Amino acid sequence: MEKRSFSEPTYQWQEYVENLEGYHHGGYHPVRIGDLYSDGRYRIVHKLGFGSYSTVWLALDQSVNRYVAMKIIVAEASEESVESRILRYLRDECDEQDKKSTIIPALLDEIWINGPNGRHLCLVTEPAGCDIATSKEDHPWIFPLTIARAIAAQTMIGLRSIHCKGIIHGNLHLRNFLLTLPPVDGLSVDAIYARYNLPRETPVHRADGRPLGPEAPPYTVMPAQLYVASIEVSDPRIRIIDFGEAWLSTDTQPKGDLQTPILYLPPETTFAKDSISFPADIWTLACSAYEILGESVLFEGFFPDRDDVIAEMVSCLGPLPQDWWDSWKAGGEFFVQNGIWRTEMTRAHSSVSRPLASRIQDMGRQADPDFSTAEAKSLEKIVEQYAPI
């Protein structure tokens, strides 16, 4: 296999698509619009998204004339995929109420794709649309209150269902909460393109000018335009996705750590890694609920590391349990003792605490008369009740 270097990229860089350096043996599978899979059953129509370990495509299931999402996992992660195991378990354990809900993804099919970069697992599910974080990225950066309430309630209902089946999700945050699409089954491919734009294809070129090999696609595809601004969302239906970090509570091997974005990480990922379980999900859901109902994140930081976020937790919720404080090596950079701030520090952090009640008052609902004191107190209680500090 050809040696690759971070300082010498193989491909010319492109924006808004997956990292092209991921096209190598063990990496992404090269996909083109119109490709057929599973003996011609699935035809690729558009791209829905991408991540570090997969690309996700809108495909037409020609056997039943309906649209599906095909998540094609990188070859090196396919054989040990956790997500397929969890989605199968959820499918097998679902009850009649679950079947009526769209919150938890339904695993429709699993196929294997052999390609130039290896053997790839492909998970086929129902397609979904814009994630909640992206929906909030433009002015006014906040959902109408009735919409925010509906979204927050559905995430809580979904997590309860997941937990009742003995599963810890392990990676809850706003980019893993998607708005479901308006009905698309029955639409022609041309009608899909009229609604979500034609696939935007950009040729792929090697940085050294040599011809492409079979390991890379001839062009990249930008994801379909699924964006819905927060102010335009109506009657939201939410789907919780990305079970690649999930595990069963009966698994005997401790999780050890989470890949959750750093501002959502629960404190036990720093102080008690062997005890990560259901409360970690509830912590990240509480952080998400604050962000769904308000403008910004609960814990803030400028390129923060874990220690910055722990300091934010102390600022918000008060001193750490003493055994955690004693084991926190960086604590002295922020505090002279547990919960008592240094007046001068080298860290980019205020030396004045911002308690949870104050953060809720400043979450962007001050001018909204329908956001009652009781509702603010309920949110405060959710965070405090499940805070392990």
Side-chain angles (χ1 to χ4, degrees):
M1 182 174 66
E2 181 182 350
K3 290 184 178 180
R4 291 170 291 112
S5 168
F6 289 111
S7 61
E8 298 177 359
T10 303
Y11 302 101
Q12 293 180 11
W13 183 80
Q14 293 187 25
E15 195 172 13
Y16 306 124
V17 296
E18 65 274 17
N19 183 356
L20 296 182
E21 301 307 310
Y23 285 102
H24 58 82
H25 185 72
Y28 294 123
H29 177 64
V31 177
R32 296 171 297 180
I33 300 299
D35 279 354
L36 299 173
Y37 296 102
S38 192
D39 296 324
R41 176 176 177 179
Y42 301 112
R43 176 160 63 98
I44 298 296
V45 172
H46 215 315
K47 181 190 268 182
L48 293 175
F50 58 88
S52 300
Y53 295 98
S54 65
T55 54
V56 186
W57 301 84
L58 181 67
L60 180 62
D61 182 348
Q62 299 184 122
S63 69
V64 290
N65 196 33
R66 73 171 173 182
Y67 290 96
V68 297
M70 297 182 66
K71 182 174 185 176
I72 305 176
I73 299 171
V74 296
E76 62 189 6
S78 288
E79 293 291 345
E80 302 298 326
S81 171
V82 172
E83 187 161 18
S84 62
R85 173 195 176 209
I86 295 297
L87 290 179
R88 283 196 305 269
Y89 187 87
L90 284 168
R91 179 187 61 193
D92 295 343
E93 294 295 316
C94 73
D95 55 28
E96 289 304 315
Q97 188 63 35
D98 294 328
K99 292 176 182 178
K100 298 176 183 177
S101 172
T102 61
I103 300 176
I104 299 174
L107 181 62
L108 304 176
D109 195 7
E110 291 177 84
I111 64 172
W112 286 90
I113 298 171
N114 293 310
N117 295 329
R119 190 166 182 256
H120 305 261
L121 176 63
C122 175
L123 304 176
V124 182
T125 61
E126 297 167 328
C130 177
D131 66 75
I132 297 304
T134 299
S135 185
K136 287 186 61 185
E137 285 179 352
D138 288 335
H139 183 79
W141 306 293
I142 196 168
F143 290 106
L145 184 56
T146 55
I147 301 301
R149 286 170 175 160
I151 293 172
Q154 289 177 63
T155 61
M156 294 176 190
I157 292 168
L159 182 60
R160 181 181 182 278
S161 178
I162 292 167
H163 280 188
C164 284
K165 294 172 177 59
I167 292 173
I168 299 100
H169 185 281
N171 196 17
L172 292 173
H173 55 86
L174 267 63
R175 295 202 182 277
N176 282 339
F177 301 139
L178 303 188
L179 295 164
T180 58
L181 293 173
V184 293
D185 290 339
L187 294 180
S188 68
V189 172
D190 287 341
I192 289 289
Y193 292 156
R195 180 182 291 184
Y196 298 116
N197 292 345
L198 287 165
R200 181 175 171 184
E201 302 171 357
T202 303
V204 173
H205 298 287
R206 287 182 59 99
D208 59 12
R210 292 163 55 189
L212 290 177
E215 69 278 358
Y219 54 80
T220 60
V221 180
M222 283 186 59
Q225 296 298 311
L226 305 176
Y227 173 74
V228 181
S230 59
I231 199 68
E232 297 174 353
V233 175
S234 62
D235 192 25
R237 294 289 183 269
I238 301 304
R239 182 164 300 143
I240 299 174
I241 65 161
D242 195 356
F243 287 79
E245 295 294 325
W247 72 99
L248 291 170
S249 60
T250 53
D251 290 347
T252 56
Q253 184 69 28
K255 184 65 175 177
D257 205 354
L258 301 178
Q259 302 303 312
T260 309
I262 195 166
L263 291 174
Y264 294 79
L265 279 175
E268 56 263 44
T269 60
T270 298
F271 299 112
K273 291 186 176 183
D274 288 345
S275 65
I276 299 173
S277 188
F278 295 108
D281 274 350
I282 299 171
W283 173 275
T284 53
L285 182 64
C287 294
S288 298
Y290 178 93
E291 192 174 354
I292 290 166
L293 289 165
E295 286 180 333
S296 188
V297 291
L298 178 58
F299 303 120
E300 299 179 338
F302 183 71
F303 294 107
D305 59 21
R306 290 193 182 214
D307 295 312
D308 293 313
V309 179
I310 295 296
E312 267 285 275
M313 294 177 187
V314 175
S315 173
C316 178
L317 298 167
L320 295 170
Q322 193 60 42
D323 58 334
W324 287 8
W325 168 257
D326 292 340
S327 68
W328 188 22
K329 295 180 181 179
E333 299 179 30
F334 300 91
F335 304 97
V336 293
Q337 62 186 63
N338 195 359
I340 308 299
W341 292 95
R342 288 191 174 278
T343 54
E344 296 181 3
M345 67 177 84
T346 57
R347 293 275 189 163
H349 198 289
S350 170
S351 58
V352 178
S353 289
R354 289 181 59 226
L356 177 59
S358 174
R359 293 173 190 240
I360 290 176
Q361 289 176 1
D362 296 337
M363 67 189 298
R365 295 290 180 189
Q366 302 94 321
D368 196 331
D370 292 330
F371 190 70
S372 65
T373 301
E375 193 166 6
K377 286 290 185 183
S378 295
L379 178 59
E380 186 175 344
K381 184 178 179 180
I382 290 171
V383 177
E384 289 181 335
Q385 182 176 355
Y386 293 103
I389 65 177

